[in-house]
Amino acid sequence: MTNSSRKKFLFLLAAALPALALAQAQPQQPSRPAGQPQRPAYTAPSSAQQDWQRAVDRSRVQSQQRQNAVQQQLQQDNVNRQMNATTDPALRSQLDNANRTQQNLYRAKQDDEVKRYNDRHPGQPPPPAGTSSTGR
């Protein structure tokens, strides 16, 4: 190779190098397999969908509160049976303390369910509070 042909070759290479770099830098669009539908754009839920979701959430809260109330009533009945069967004052005191703690836990569960509903649906009326089973 002669000096002049070497210079021409280097000149062509220097001129072609940016074009090659530009061709490689262009991103290729990903091709979707045939038959795959394009994803629809996200749409905000309609008021009917929001009402339906609110009703579902309200129903779930009421159901959970009923379950909590039934469980609380069963535990209350159990404690009452134990309190009636024991004569030991120390055991009665322990049962009474356990009963108070259980009632506080029950109230906290019920309040938490209502709070979660209110957090998800601000400005909406909360579901009715569950029945309380206090006292002996």
Side-chain angles (χ1 to χ4, degrees):
M1 202 178 230
T2 64
N3 236 359
S4 71
S5 63
R6 194 174 297 144
K7 286 181 182 178
K8 288 179 185 176
F9 178 71
L10 288 175
F11 176 75
L12 286 173
L13 186 61
L17 194 58
L20 289 173
L22 183 63
Q24 288 180 348
Q26 290 181 353
Q28 294 182 354
Q29 299 219 352
S31 60
R32 281 194 313 248
Q36 184 180 14
Q38 186 175 6
R39 291 184 185 171
Y42 174 76
T43 57
S46 68
S47 64
Q49 289 170 327
Q50 289 174 345
D51 291 344
W52 178 83
Q53 186 62 50
R54 213 175 359 263
V56 167
D57 289 346
R58 185 181 180 101
S59 174
R60 186 194 57 75
V61 168
Q62 289 171 337
S63 175
Q64 184 64 47
Q65 287 185 329
R66 281 191 300 272
Q67 288 175 0
N68 290 346
V70 168
Q71 184 180 21
Q72 175 64 18
Q73 187 61 49
L74 291 172
Q75 289 173 346
Q76 184 70 45
D77 291 346
N78 189 26
V79 168
N80 288 343
R81 244 183 272 113
Q82 290 176 345
M83 290 282 275
N84 292 334
T86 188
T87 57
D88 182 14
L91 183 57
R92 274 175 117 26
S93 176
Q94 285 180 342
L95 287 171
D96 196 40
N97 288 339
N99 187 31
R100 263 191 243 110
T101 301
Q102 188 59 43
Q103 287 175 359
N104 289 337
L105 180 63
Y106 165 73
R107 284 188 209 101
K109 279 183 183 178
Q110 299 295 69
D111 292 345
D112 185 56
E113 285 294 323
V114 172
K115 183 181 180 302
R116 286 184 193 181
Y117 176 85
N118 289 336
D119 289 347
R120 281 190 301 266
H121 306 289
Q124 297 298 317
T131 60
S132 176
S133 56
T134 58
R136 289 181 247 167

